[in-house]
Amino acid sequence: MQELQFASHLPSTDLSASMIICWQRGIAWILERLDLFRPADPTSPDQLKEIAELSLLYGHVLPWVAEEYQGKLAPIGQFLCEFLGKDLTLAHWVRRAPSQYNPYIVAYLPLRSIGVRLPAFEEAVSALHSAGYPEALENTPYREMELQYLTWKAGVGRSRPNWGRLYQSTVMRRGGNPIYFSIHDVYSVTHTLLYLTDVCGPRTDMPATERQRAIKIVESLLVHYWRKPDWDITCELLINLVALSHYETPLFTAALNAVANVWRRDGALPGPHFSEKHVKSDQKLLFRDCYHTTLVGLILCAAYLHRSVWGGGSSGDASA
């Protein structure tokens, strides 16, 4: 494990400049590899994970980024619309297999949330909604929150969810000392907070006691996963702190600076299974090792810049 360095609290201007560089490198890396997101067999749910995650990136960050950077995202939107809209098989298939709402409809909902309408998927969403989906699906509490969040953001027949009951059942609420959290528990924590805080916040209606409890848990986990290091979870935890308006602390600044320092010059943010030997020998393996963490890192860049530079919210030292 690496030694953590907290010695310097970088000025926000320096950190913002680093995040813009990481954003530009990461987006370029994704754009150069869009074809690798395309599944060999679109009717295999396991192969649609990459497309769904790319759509989540696009749908989340497009409303956040400064106008000067929005044009760089256009090829991603075009790729997603072409893939999901050109082959009607996908929308027709999920109507016959509603248990595959995630990932098929989930790949479309982020696009719908920013105004995209694809006729075949509109028919599929409407038909499945009338049949009781996604509510009929059996999921863990945080996965159920995910579907409620995505359908709400996409305007699919519901008002803003009331997550009180679901939240009471999550690891975030029921868990004890985070030192005992498994990797699955940690993902439950980070994702629960993503949906409760609308990904990057700010949320002014979160009770102060719950906010402080969340900050304590997230910071404890951040120290461990930064030190490990696991840049995927580290980035998710940093996004949580942005959303909780707790992003002007020495811990946050040092961890974010560590992310910037490890971000590769070629644009990839190394994933948990990254291997240097894949960089030149096998681009598909490099993509597999890095694409997810790079997407999460890009969401972190956009969330931080949205809140701290691009005018997307209150100060990072909110105490409420």
Side-chain angles (χ1 to χ4, degrees), residues 16-191:
S16 299
S18 295
M19 286 297 97
I20 289 173
I21 291 171
C22 291
W23 166 263
Q24 292 171 330
R25 288 177 179 170
I27 287 294
W29 190 85
I30 294 295
L31 292 178
E32 290 168 2
R33 291 160 177 81
L34 284 179
D35 279 342
L36 294 177
F37 284 89
R38 194 184 304 273
D41 179 6
T43 61
S44 171
D46 291 339
Q47 294 187 30
L48 213 74
K49 178 176 178 284
E50 291 86 350
I51 285 283
E53 292 178 356
L54 182 65
S55 182
L56 287 167
L57 166 76
Y58 183 68
H60 284 323
V61 307
L62 185 65
W64 303 342
V65 299
E67 187 174 350
E68 62 192 284
Y69 298 110
Q70 288 183 354
K72 289 290 186 180
L73 295 172
I76 297 176
Q78 293 165 3
F79 171 79
L80 291 167
C81 290
E82 182 271 333
F83 174 78
L84 293 172
K86 186 175 181 179
D87 186 356
L88 302 183
T89 304
L90 293 176
H92 293 162
W93 188 82
V94 74
R95 291 179 66 171
R96 298 194 298 271
S99 64
Q100 300 303 327
Y101 197 96
N102 186 0
Y104 288 90
I105 299 299
V106 165
Y108 174 60
L109 292 176
L111 299 178
R112 196 179 198 278
S113 72
I114 54 173
V116 174
R117 296 294 184 270
L118 301 177
F121 268 93
E122 285 296 295
E123 292 177 9
V125 169
S126 179
L128 292 175
H129 181 69
S130 297
Y133 288 89
E135 291 80 3
L137 298 172
E138 185 173 357
N139 286 294
T140 58
Y142 86 92
R143 287 301 185 191
E144 189 172 345
M145 290 177 71
E146 175 184 49
L147 291 175
Q148 290 186 5
Y149 174 78
L150 292 173
T151 51
W152 164 60
K153 292 293 286 187
V156 180
R158 64 165 58 249
S159 57
R160 185 169 192 152
N162 182 345
W163 283 311
R165 176 185 60 81
L166 278 175
Y167 177 63
Q168 295 298 324
S169 301
T170 62
V171 172
M172 180 69 231
R173 186 66 186 88
R174 297 169 59 115
N177 190 327
I179 197 172
Y180 299 114
F181 286 2
S182 70
I183 189 71
H184 302 293
D185 293 335
V186 177
Y187 275 116
S188 176
V189 167
T190 60
H191 285 243

Side-chain angles (χ1 to χ4, degrees), residues 294-320:
T294 303
L295 292 177
V296 177
L298 286 168
I299 293 175
L300 169 61
C301 290
Y304 176 75
L305 292 167
H306 174 60
R307 293 291 305 277
S308 64
V309 178
W310 295 333
S314 59
S315 170
D317 58 356
S319 58

